[in-house]
Amino acid sequence: MTRTLFGTALLLSVSSLTLSHAYAQAAQPVVQAAQPSVQTAQPGVQAVQPVVRSAQPGGQPAARPMTVGGYANRVPARVVTPAQPAPAGATAASSGQGGFFPASYDDWIRGSTMTGDWGGARTNLENHGVHLQGHYLEDAAGNPVGGKYAGVRYAHEFGIGADIDLARLIHHDLGIFHILITERAGLSLANGPLGGAVDSVQQIFGSGETVRLTRLSLEKHFNPYVWMEAGWINTENDFGQSTQHWGMSLYCQFQTNAICGMPQGIAMNSGYGFYPTAHPGAWIKLFPAGNDHYLVSAGIYNVDNTIVNTHNGFKLGLGDSTGTYLPFQLGWHHGNDYHGEYEGNIKVGGYWDTSEVAIVTTKIGGYQPKNVDLLDLPTDQVRGRFGGWVEADQMIQRDGPGSSRGTVLFGSFVWGDPRTALTPYFATWGLVRKGTFVDRPNDTISFGGKIAVLNPKLAEYAETLQQQGQKALRPSNEPGIELNYGWRPTPWATLRPGLQYVWHPGGTNRYANALIIDMETGLTF
């Protein structure tokens, strides 16, 4: 029944996206195009302002900016505005197209991508709506102090994909076609040396270290008021996600997975589809004022816990579905980063997950020594679980009018179903400063933290075991903080050395508090 309802809803979503082209204007092809303007964004950028085609003289639709990459606030991204036709008689050189290699080292180091313009091929593709992307992300971390034992771990992700504006490619505005394939490999510091920490200290580790389909979808902006997307997507891109300042994801200025992407408690407590997995799903976003000041959104996603397994990287069916994840989110945005009123955002969301799941006490074994017998362990099942979140961020300082330097404060709070949630209370906070030294306008320094409060029912059951004379541990909470410096020597590279400190890793007093030294690297190809 669940699969039938989900399939029907998804089919209706895809149908509405496809049929909408009858009302769209055809895009005018570009011949002998000039170099497109490129605004480089740091990892995590996403366009939030509704963009609508405006007619040019002669009735031709204007080119719209495209956010290339930026998926789920983790993938490096850049904003590209396709060029208009070059003036008559323009040459390849005057259009910004030259040889395969950059004209100089300065051109290369200041370019928006590490691989450049491919002798003009990339420009030509982008002016026809085909935006190719590639990235490399790595998280290395070690704990010289605390945890189960000292160790160093490395994890990485490679990604390739495309965002294709069908209006410019085939001259029918069916929407934007997205495809992204990722490959992950490496080891986890949290699972090994830290002894099973509640949150990973490497945001790029997890979801099966394998090659997998991360996005395959069609996104349609019908008008300034209604957007939709349907296909194989994850929830993290659109619900509980970070907002952006100066084109940067606030949350992914941190390496800890507790903060980067979304407040991790949402995923721990439900069937929330997290990056880089892809679930059959769809969402709709409504902008009541025709701009990004107000947002009302809702979605539907298949819940399948087996999709994170290594051999399920390209799983597309509903064979192991346990239910349907139904999120909603309300948003309010004001101001901007550069002029006038300081920018701020508030998001309030919630969900209902129709899956049948075990109550939280069944997870107690992961927090106990092997010699503890789990006597009279409650194993009841419940149908349906729920929860919600509140997120807010506010610019609190700007160096001056028009300046891209400033300071932003953010925070979040997650609440989960007390019957089933591992962390029914989960909170994050942080402070991000962009512009560190006189000649470093794009560097950042970030300080933030989290607290994961484990379900009190785990401690209650552990207490009954202690009363029986067993040496059971009482799960309580796992706080953590992070301080890092984001060095951006070029628009296509970020290096982020940092420190983390985690109190009682794993949520018990079994292991000593841990100090973590880490390094994150991001490259845009």
mmCIF file of all heavy atoms in Angstrom, residues 107-147:
data_model
loop_
_atom_site.group_PDB
_atom_site.id
_atom_site.type_symbol
_atom_site.label_atom_id
_atom_site.label_comp_id
_atom_site.label_asym_id
_atom_site.label_seq_id
_atom_site.Cartn_x
_atom_site.Cartn_y
_atom_site.Cartn_z
ATOM 1 N N ASP A 107 45.992 33.630 -14.874
ATOM 2 C CA ASP A 107 44.666 33.281 -15.378
ATOM 3 C C ASP A 107 44.187 31.961 -14.780
ATOM 4 O O ASP A 107 43.016 31.796 -14.450
ATOM 5 C CB ASP A 107 44.690 33.168 -16.907
ATOM 6 C CG ASP A 107 44.784 34.523 -17.578
ATOM 7 O OD1 ASP A 107 44.598 35.546 -16.882
ATOM 8 O OD2 ASP A 107 45.065 34.564 -18.788
ATOM 9 N N TRP A 108 45.110 31.011 -14.648
ATOM 10 C CA TRP A 108 44.742 29.699 -14.110
ATOM 11 C C TRP A 108 44.381 29.787 -12.631
ATOM 12 O O TRP A 108 43.363 29.266 -12.197
ATOM 13 C CB TRP A 108 45.899 28.728 -14.320
ATOM 14 C CG TRP A 108 45.669 27.375 -13.712
ATOM 15 C CD1 TRP A 108 44.714 26.468 -14.072
ATOM 16 C CD2 TRP A 108 46.396 26.772 -12.636
ATOM 17 N NE1 TRP A 108 44.797 25.343 -13.279
ATOM 18 C CE2 TRP A 108 45.834 25.505 -12.394
ATOM 19 C CE3 TRP A 108 47.482 27.196 -11.860
ATOM 20 C CZ2 TRP A 108 46.317 24.647 -11.412
ATOM 21 C CZ3 TRP A 108 47.960 26.339 -10.885
ATOM 22 C CH2 TRP A 108 47.377 25.080 -10.666
ATOM 23 N N ILE A 109 45.208 30.479 -11.869
ATOM 24 C CA ILE A 109 45.001 30.521 -10.421
ATOM 25 C C ILE A 109 43.770 31.347 -10.053
ATOM 26 O O ILE A 109 43.168 31.153 -8.990
ATOM 27 C CB ILE A 109 46.262 31.052 -9.703
ATOM 28 C CG1 ILE A 109 46.369 30.496 -8.276
ATOM 29 C CG2 ILE A 109 46.300 32.573 -9.696
ATOM 30 C CD1 ILE A 109 46.674 29.031 -8.210
ATOM 31 N N ARG A 110 43.366 32.257 -10.934
ATOM 32 C CA ARG A 110 42.195 33.077 -10.667
ATOM 33 C C ARG A 110 40.920 32.534 -11.329
ATOM 34 O O ARG A 110 39.849 33.106 -11.176
ATOM 35 C CB ARG A 110 42.443 34.513 -11.140
ATOM 36 C CG ARG A 110 43.540 35.242 -10.395
ATOM 37 C CD ARG A 110 43.737 36.655 -10.910
ATOM 38 N NE ARG A 110 44.841 37.329 -10.262
ATOM 39 C CZ ARG A 110 44.756 37.948 -9.088
ATOM 40 N NH1 ARG A 110 43.592 37.997 -8.454
ATOM 41 N NH2 ARG A 110 45.805 38.537 -8.557
ATOM 42 N N GLY A 111 41.052 31.445 -12.058
ATOM 43 C CA GLY A 111 39.892 30.875 -12.734
ATOM 44 C C GLY A 111 38.914 30.245 -11.759
ATOM 45 O O GLY A 111 39.209 29.999 -10.589
ATOM 46 N N SER A 112 37.714 29.957 -12.238
ATOM 47 C CA SER A 112 36.669 29.403 -11.369
ATOM 48 C C SER A 112 36.781 27.900 -11.196
ATOM 49 O O SER A 112 36.207 27.336 -10.269
ATOM 50 C CB SER A 112 35.288 29.748 -11.935
ATOM 51 O OG SER A 112 35.121 29.173 -13.219
ATOM 52 N N THR A 113 37.527 27.219 -12.109
ATOM 53 C CA THR A 113 37.714 25.771 -12.002
ATOM 54 C C THR A 113 39.175 25.424 -12.231
ATOM 55 O O THR A 113 39.895 26.123 -12.950
ATOM 56 C CB THR A 113 36.850 25.012 -13.026
ATOM 57 O OG1 THR A 113 37.243 25.405 -14.351
ATOM 58 C CG2 THR A 113 35.376 25.305 -12.828
ATOM 59 N N MET A 114 39.611 24.300 -11.675
ATOM 60 C CA MET A 114 41.004 23.907 -11.776
ATOM 61 C C MET A 114 41.370 23.494 -13.199
ATOM 62 O O MET A 114 42.501 23.680 -13.640
ATOM 63 C CB MET A 114 41.298 22.752 -10.819
ATOM 64 C CG MET A 114 42.772 22.413 -10.682
ATOM 65 S SD MET A 114 43.099 21.167 -9.430
ATOM 66 C CE MET A 114 42.592 19.697 -10.300
ATOM 67 N N THR A 115 40.420 22.941 -13.949
ATOM 68 C CA THR A 115 40.723 22.455 -15.289
ATOM 69 C C THR A 115 40.474 23.497 -16.371
ATOM 70 O O THR A 115 40.660 23.223 -17.554
ATOM 71 C CB THR A 115 39.893 21.198 -15.600
ATOM 72 O OG1 THR A 115 38.495 21.510 -15.463
ATOM 73 C CG2 THR A 115 40.259 20.067 -14.657
ATOM 74 N N GLY A 116 40.028 24.687 -15.992
ATOM 75 C CA GLY A 116 39.908 25.776 -16.947
ATOM 76 C C GLY A 116 38.747 25.643 -17.912
ATOM 77 O O GLY A 116 37.742 24.972 -17.637
ATOM 78 N N ASP A 117 38.924 26.257 -19.084
ATOM 79 C CA ASP A 117 37.838 26.376 -20.060
ATOM 80 C C ASP A 117 37.949 25.370 -21.195
ATOM 81 O O ASP A 117 37.117 25.375 -22.109
ATOM 82 C CB ASP A 117 37.830 27.799 -20.629
ATOM 83 C CG ASP A 117 36.550 28.119 -21.370
ATOM 84 O OD1 ASP A 117 35.485 27.643 -20.946
ATOM 85 O OD2 ASP A 117 36.631 28.820 -22.396
ATOM 86 N N TRP A 118 38.948 24.484 -21.151
ATOM 87 C CA TRP A 118 39.110 23.425 -22.148
ATOM 88 C C TRP A 118 39.163 23.992 -23.570
ATOM 89 O O TRP A 118 38.523 23.488 -24.500
ATOM 90 C CB TRP A 118 37.999 22.382 -22.049
ATOM 91 C CG TRP A 118 37.710 21.911 -20.666
ATOM 92 C CD1 TRP A 118 38.570 21.897 -19.606
ATOM 93 C CD2 TRP A 118 36.468 21.404 -20.178
ATOM 94 N NE1 TRP A 118 37.948 21.395 -18.480
ATOM 95 C CE2 TRP A 118 36.649 21.085 -18.808
ATOM 96 C CE3 TRP A 118 35.226 21.183 -20.745
ATOM 97 C CZ2 TRP A 118 35.637 20.563 -18.013
ATOM 98 C CZ3 TRP A 118 34.215 20.652 -19.964
ATOM 99 C CH2 TRP A 118 34.418 20.347 -18.621
ATOM 100 N N GLY A 119 39.926 25.068 -23.739
ATOM 101 C CA GLY A 119 40.065 25.663 -25.059
ATOM 102 C C GLY A 119 38.777 26.229 -25.611
ATOM 103 O O GLY A 119 38.567 26.272 -26.829
ATOM 104 N N GLY A 120 37.894 26.680 -24.749
ATOM 105 C CA GLY A 120 36.623 27.255 -25.168
ATOM 106 C C GLY A 120 35.478 26.267 -25.201
ATOM 107 O O GLY A 120 34.311 26.664 -25.346
ATOM 108 N N ALA A 121 35.775 24.971 -25.036
ATOM 109 C CA ALA A 121 34.714 23.965 -25.109
ATOM 110 C C ALA A 121 33.719 24.111 -23.959
ATOM 111 O O ALA A 121 32.510 23.963 -24.143
ATOM 112 C CB ALA A 121 35.318 22.566 -25.106
ATOM 113 N N ARG A 122 34.245 24.418 -22.781
ATOM 114 C CA ARG A 122 33.348 24.553 -21.633
ATOM 115 C C ARG A 122 32.422 25.758 -21.814
ATOM 116 O O ARG A 122 31.222 25.691 -21.525
ATOM 117 C CB ARG A 122 34.178 24.693 -20.352
ATOM 118 C CG ARG A 122 33.355 24.777 -19.089
ATOM 119 C CD ARG A 122 34.224 24.739 -17.834
ATOM 120 N NE ARG A 122 33.761 23.741 -16.896
ATOM 121 C CZ ARG A 122 34.535 23.140 -16.001
ATOM 122 N NH1 ARG A 122 35.828 23.404 -15.965
ATOM 123 N NH2 ARG A 122 34.026 22.250 -15.178
ATOM 124 N N THR A 123 32.970 26.867 -22.289
ATOM 125 C CA THR A 123 32.155 28.047 -22.551
ATOM 126 C C THR A 123 31.048 27.735 -23.551
ATOM 127 O O THR A 123 29.889 28.105 -23.366
ATOM 128 C CB THR A 123 33.035 29.183 -23.097
ATOM 129 O OG1 THR A 123 33.918 29.622 -22.071
ATOM 130 C CG2 THR A 123 32.192 30.359 -23.551
ATOM 131 N N ASN A 124 31.413 27.037 -24.619
ATOM 132 C CA ASN A 124 30.438 26.703 -25.645
ATOM 133 C C ASN A 124 29.321 25.833 -25.089
ATOM 134 O O ASN A 124 28.132 26.055 -25.363
ATOM 135 C CB ASN A 124 31.128 26.000 -26.815
ATOM 136 C CG ASN A 124 30.188 25.746 -27.971
ATOM 137 O OD1 ASN A 124 29.538 26.657 -28.475
ATOM 138 N ND2 ASN A 124 30.097 24.497 -28.393
ATOM 139 N N LEU A 125 29.692 24.841 -24.284
ATOM 140 C CA LEU A 125 28.687 23.963 -23.681
ATOM 141 C C LEU A 125 27.762 24.748 -22.754
ATOM 142 O O LEU A 125 26.537 24.565 -22.768
ATOM 143 C CB LEU A 125 29.374 22.833 -22.912
ATOM 144 C CG LEU A 125 30.028 21.729 -23.753
ATOM 145 C CD1 LEU A 125 30.872 20.837 -22.868
ATOM 146 C CD2 LEU A 125 28.959 20.914 -24.480
ATOM 147 N N GLU A 126 28.345 25.616 -21.929
ATOM 148 C CA GLU A 126 27.536 26.348 -20.959
ATOM 149 C C GLU A 126 26.603 27.348 -21.638
ATOM 150 O O GLU A 126 25.494 27.600 -21.162
ATOM 151 C CB GLU A 126 28.448 27.029 -19.938
ATOM 152 C CG GLU A 126 29.139 26.008 -19.045
ATOM 153 C CD GLU A 126 30.019 26.616 -17.974
ATOM 154 O OE1 GLU A 126 30.385 27.806 -18.113
ATOM 155 O OE2 GLU A 126 30.346 25.893 -17.013
ATOM 156 N N ASN A 127 27.030 27.904 -22.751
ATOM 157 C CA ASN A 127 26.145 28.796 -23.481
ATOM 158 C C ASN A 127 25.009 28.048 -24.173
ATOM 159 O O ASN A 127 24.045 28.665 -24.630
ATOM 160 C CB ASN A 127 26.932 29.616 -24.499
ATOM 161 C CG ASN A 127 27.718 30.737 -23.839
ATOM 162 O OD1 ASN A 127 27.294 31.296 -22.834
ATOM 163 N ND2 ASN A 127 28.884 31.052 -24.386
ATOM 164 N N HIS A 128 25.126 26.738 -24.253
ATOM 165 C CA HIS A 128 24.042 25.906 -24.766
ATOM 166 C C HIS A 128 23.341 25.144 -23.636
ATOM 167 O O HIS A 128 22.600 24.190 -23.894
ATOM 168 C CB HIS A 128 24.573 24.932 -25.821
ATOM 169 C CG HIS A 128 24.922 25.598 -27.117
ATOM 170 N ND1 HIS A 128 26.132 26.238 -27.320
ATOM 171 C CD2 HIS A 128 24.221 25.761 -28.268
ATOM 172 C CE1 HIS A 128 26.163 26.745 -28.534
ATOM 173 N NE2 HIS A 128 25.015 26.472 -29.136
ATOM 174 N N GLY A 129 23.588 25.552 -22.405
ATOM 175 C CA GLY A 129 22.846 25.002 -21.273
ATOM 176 C C GLY A 129 23.438 23.786 -20.626
ATOM 177 O O GLY A 129 22.843 23.246 -19.692
ATOM 178 N N VAL A 130 24.599 23.310 -21.067
ATOM 179 C CA VAL A 130 25.202 22.096 -20.516
ATOM 180 C C VAL A 130 26.326 22.504 -19.566
ATOM 181 O O VAL A 130 27.377 22.986 -19.996
ATOM 182 C CB VAL A 130 25.746 21.182 -21.628
ATOM 183 C CG1 VAL A 130 26.379 19.927 -21.020
ATOM 184 C CG2 VAL A 130 24.632 20.806 -22.593
ATOM 185 N N HIS A 131 26.106 22.312 -18.281
ATOM 186 C CA HIS A 131 27.057 22.738 -17.246
ATOM 187 C C HIS A 131 27.633 21.494 -16.572
ATOM 188 O O HIS A 131 26.945 20.829 -15.792
ATOM 189 C CB HIS A 131 26.358 23.623 -16.219
ATOM 190 C CG HIS A 131 25.669 24.809 -16.824
ATOM 191 N ND1 HIS A 131 26.293 26.023 -16.992
ATOM 192 C CD2 HIS A 131 24.419 24.961 -17.321
ATOM 193 C CE1 HIS A 131 25.461 26.883 -17.546
ATOM 194 N NE2 HIS A 131 24.320 26.259 -17.758
ATOM 195 N N LEU A 132 28.870 21.182 -16.890
ATOM 196 C CA LEU A 132 29.531 20.012 -16.322
ATOM 197 C C LEU A 132 30.217 20.381 -15.011
ATOM 198 O O LEU A 132 30.690 21.505 -14.852
ATOM 199 C CB LEU A 132 30.535 19.443 -17.317
ATOM 200 C CG LEU A 132 29.968 19.060 -18.693
ATOM 201 C CD1 LEU A 132 31.070 18.508 -19.582
ATOM 202 C CD2 LEU A 132 28.831 18.059 -18.555
ATOM 203 N N GLN A 133 30.290 19.426 -14.113
ATOM 204 C CA GLN A 133 30.899 19.688 -12.806
ATOM 205 C C GLN A 133 31.731 18.496 -12.371
ATOM 206 O O GLN A 133 31.493 17.349 -12.758
ATOM 207 C CB GLN A 133 29.814 19.943 -11.754
ATOM 208 C CG GLN A 133 28.807 18.806 -11.619
ATOM 209 C CD GLN A 133 27.857 19.000 -10.456
ATOM 210 O OE1 GLN A 133 28.270 18.987 -9.293
ATOM 211 N NE2 GLN A 133 26.585 19.173 -10.767
ATOM 212 N N GLY A 134 32.730 18.789 -11.557
ATOM 213 C CA GLY A 134 33.542 17.747 -10.949
ATOM 214 C C GLY A 134 34.158 18.276 -9.669
ATOM 215 O O GLY A 134 34.434 19.472 -9.558
ATOM 216 N N HIS A 135 34.356 17.405 -8.696
ATOM 217 C CA HIS A 135 34.933 17.874 -7.439
ATOM 218 C C HIS A 135 35.672 16.754 -6.722
ATOM 219 O O HIS A 135 35.462 15.564 -6.990
ATOM 220 C CB HIS A 135 33.840 18.438 -6.514
ATOM 221 C CG HIS A 135 32.910 17.394 -5.963
ATOM 222 N ND1 HIS A 135 31.704 17.069 -6.544
ATOM 223 C CD2 HIS A 135 33.001 16.593 -4.860
ATOM 224 C CE1 HIS A 135 31.094 16.138 -5.842
ATOM 225 N NE2 HIS A 135 31.870 15.832 -4.809
ATOM 226 N N TYR A 136 36.534 17.167 -5.830
ATOM 227 C CA TYR A 136 37.237 16.268 -4.918
ATOM 228 C C TYR A 136 37.159 16.887 -3.530
ATOM 229 O O TYR A 136 37.444 18.073 -3.345
ATOM 230 C CB TYR A 136 38.696 16.109 -5.334
ATOM 231 C CG TYR A 136 39.601 15.515 -4.267
ATOM 232 C CD1 TYR A 136 39.610 14.149 -4.012
ATOM 233 C CD2 TYR A 136 40.443 16.339 -3.522
ATOM 234 C CE1 TYR A 136 40.442 13.611 -3.036
ATOM 235 C CE2 TYR A 136 41.291 15.813 -2.553
ATOM 236 C CZ TYR A 136 41.282 14.453 -2.310
ATOM 237 O OH TYR A 136 42.095 13.928 -1.341
ATOM 238 N N LEU A 137 36.751 16.097 -2.559
ATOM 239 C CA LEU A 137 36.701 16.529 -1.164
ATOM 240 C C LEU A 137 37.415 15.490 -0.312
ATOM 241 O O LEU A 137 37.256 14.279 -0.545
ATOM 242 C CB LEU A 137 35.246 16.661 -0.683
ATOM 243 C CG LEU A 137 34.360 17.676 -1.422
ATOM 244 C CD1 LEU A 137 32.911 17.528 -0.989
ATOM 245 C CD2 LEU A 137 34.850 19.092 -1.182
ATOM 246 N N GLU A 138 38.192 15.944 0.660
ATOM 247 C CA GLU A 138 38.859 14.992 1.560
ATOM 248 C C GLU A 138 38.837 15.514 2.978
ATOM 249 O O GLU A 138 38.906 16.706 3.230
ATOM 250 C CB GLU A 138 40.238 14.716 1.056
ATOM 251 C CG GLU A 138 41.499 15.237 1.542
ATOM 252 C CD GLU A 138 41.826 15.722 2.873
ATOM 253 O OE1 GLU A 138 41.950 14.890 3.791
ATOM 254 O OE2 GLU A 138 42.043 16.917 3.026
ATOM 255 N N ASP A 139 38.672 14.563 3.893
ATOM 256 C CA ASP A 139 38.705 14.854 5.321
ATOM 257 C C ASP A 139 39.719 13.923 5.969
ATOM 258 O O ASP A 139 39.540 12.690 5.957
ATOM 259 C CB ASP A 139 37.341 14.611 5.979
ATOM 260 C CG ASP A 139 36.328 15.684 5.621
ATOM 261 O OD1 ASP A 139 36.749 16.758 5.172
ATOM 262 O OD2 ASP A 139 35.121 15.435 5.781
ATOM 263 N N ALA A 140 40.764 14.485 6.533
ATOM 264 C CA ALA A 140 41.742 13.720 7.302
ATOM 265 C C ALA A 140 41.660 14.174 8.752
ATOM 266 O O ALA A 140 41.523 15.372 9.026
ATOM 267 C CB ALA A 140 43.147 13.933 6.760
ATOM 268 N N ALA A 141 41.693 13.214 9.682
ATOM 269 C CA ALA A 141 41.553 13.558 11.101
ATOM 270 C C ALA A 141 42.314 12.555 11.955
ATOM 271 O O ALA A 141 42.408 11.371 11.611
ATOM 272 C CB ALA A 141 40.078 13.583 11.497
ATOM 273 N N GLY A 142 42.854 13.054 13.058
ATOM 274 C CA GLY A 142 43.544 12.194 14.013
ATOM 275 C C GLY A 142 43.292 12.650 15.433
ATOM 276 O O GLY A 142 43.052 13.834 15.672
ATOM 277 N N ASN A 143 43.307 11.703 16.362
ATOM 278 C CA ASN A 143 43.086 12.032 17.780
ATOM 279 C C ASN A 143 44.317 11.669 18.608
ATOM 280 O O ASN A 143 44.463 10.541 19.070
ATOM 281 C CB ASN A 143 41.841 11.296 18.319
ATOM 282 C CG ASN A 143 41.953 9.785 18.226
ATOM 283 O OD1 ASN A 143 42.366 9.260 17.192
ATOM 284 N ND2 ASN A 143 41.590 9.082 19.297
ATOM 285 N N PRO A 144 45.222 12.602 18.831
ATOM 286 C CA PRO A 144 46.396 12.324 19.662
ATOM 287 C C PRO A 144 46.045 12.132 21.130
ATOM 288 O O PRO A 144 46.825 11.548 21.881
ATOM 289 C CB PRO A 144 47.273 13.565 19.452
ATOM 290 C CG PRO A 144 46.301 14.653 19.108
ATOM 291 C CD PRO A 144 45.226 13.992 18.325
ATOM 292 N N VAL A 145 44.878 12.645 21.532
ATOM 293 C CA VAL A 145 44.471 12.571 22.930
ATOM 294 C C VAL A 145 43.034 12.049 22.998
ATOM 295 O O VAL A 145 42.168 12.491 22.242
ATOM 296 C CB VAL A 145 44.538 13.963 23.605
ATOM 297 C CG1 VAL A 145 44.014 13.901 25.036
ATOM 298 C CG2 VAL A 145 45.959 14.500 23.561
ATOM 299 N N GLY A 146 42.761 11.118 23.915
ATOM 300 C CA GLY A 146 41.416 10.666 24.192
ATOM 301 C C GLY A 146 40.900 9.619 23.221
ATOM 302 O O GLY A 146 41.603 9.140 22.342
ATOM 303 N N GLY A 147 39.635 9.234 23.427
ATOM 304 C CA GLY A 147 39.034 8.192 22.619
ATOM 305 C C GLY A 147 39.438 6.813 23.076
ATOM 306 O O GLY A 147 39.986 6.611 24.170
#
